Amino acid sequence: MSWDVLLLRLPEDITSVQQIPDAHTPAPIGSRHDALAAITQATPDTDLTNPTWGELLGPTWSMELNIGAEDPVDSVMLHIRGSGDDVLTPVFRLAGALRCKVLDCAAGDLITPLETSGWHAFQQYRDSVVPSRH
């Protein structure tokens, strides 16, 4: 089970998903080359051996980066597993490098470094439905 967040380009004045017009098509992040370079610069430990599906490991979490094979890259989906608030640092570092906003797919809300309650809610939910492995 993963906490999924989508990195996508939205206008600066958009602060919630309710403000996104129905007919809005997000601008592409950029060419594959530029997107991969930005990811590498923001999070140098990301394994991009497979440039369509990266992986970043932290002390108590793992993150898969679904970049896809399209060129240009339209969005990047992050699949996050584990625990610890330190995972939020690379999430927002990646978002900044790609000039994207962060959509919490579980809550359906845009999140910011100051509003990350979706990560905590996901962990609580996961821990309540996934049996302990001890």
Side-chain angles (χ1 to χ4, degrees):
M1 174 180 286
S2 64
W3 181 53
D4 299 332
V5 296
L6 183 66
L7 305 181
L8 74 161
R9 289 265 173 96
L10 291 172
E12 273 304 310
D13 60 335
I14 300 285
T15 58
S16 76
V17 291
Q18 290 77 20
Q19 294 174 326
I20 302 171
D22 290 338
H24 179 75
T25 301
I29 290 174
S31 72
R32 288 188 54 70
H33 177 268
D34 290 347
L36 293 172
I39 290 167
T40 299
Q41 184 174 4
T43 54
D45 293 335
T46 300
D47 178 355
L48 291 171
T49 304
N50 176 349
T52 65
W53 196 262
E55 183 176 43
L56 180 62
L57 301 176
T60 59
W61 51 265
S62 66
M63 179 187 308
E64 294 174 314
L65 293 80
N66 184 348
I67 303 159
E70 299 296 317
D71 193 356
V73 175
D74 290 327
S75 61
V76 176
M77 179 71 79
L78 306 178
H79 305 282
I80 302 166
R81 294 174 180 82
S83 60
D85 287 352
D86 59 318
V87 73
L88 297 169
T89 299
V91 168
F92 290 107
R93 192 175 290 146
L94 287 164
L98 297 169
R99 298 187 336 262
C100 288
K101 299 221 176 181
V102 182
L103 174 63
D104 176 344
C105 295
D109 293 323
L110 295 175
I111 61 172
T112 68
L114 300 176
E115 178 45 59
T116 58
S117 60
W119 172 233
H120 299 122
F122 164 77
Q123 292 175 87
Q124 287 179 323
Y125 172 75
R126 177 204 57 213
D127 294 346
S128 72
V129 298
V130 175
S132 174
R133 297 177 204 199
H134 304 309

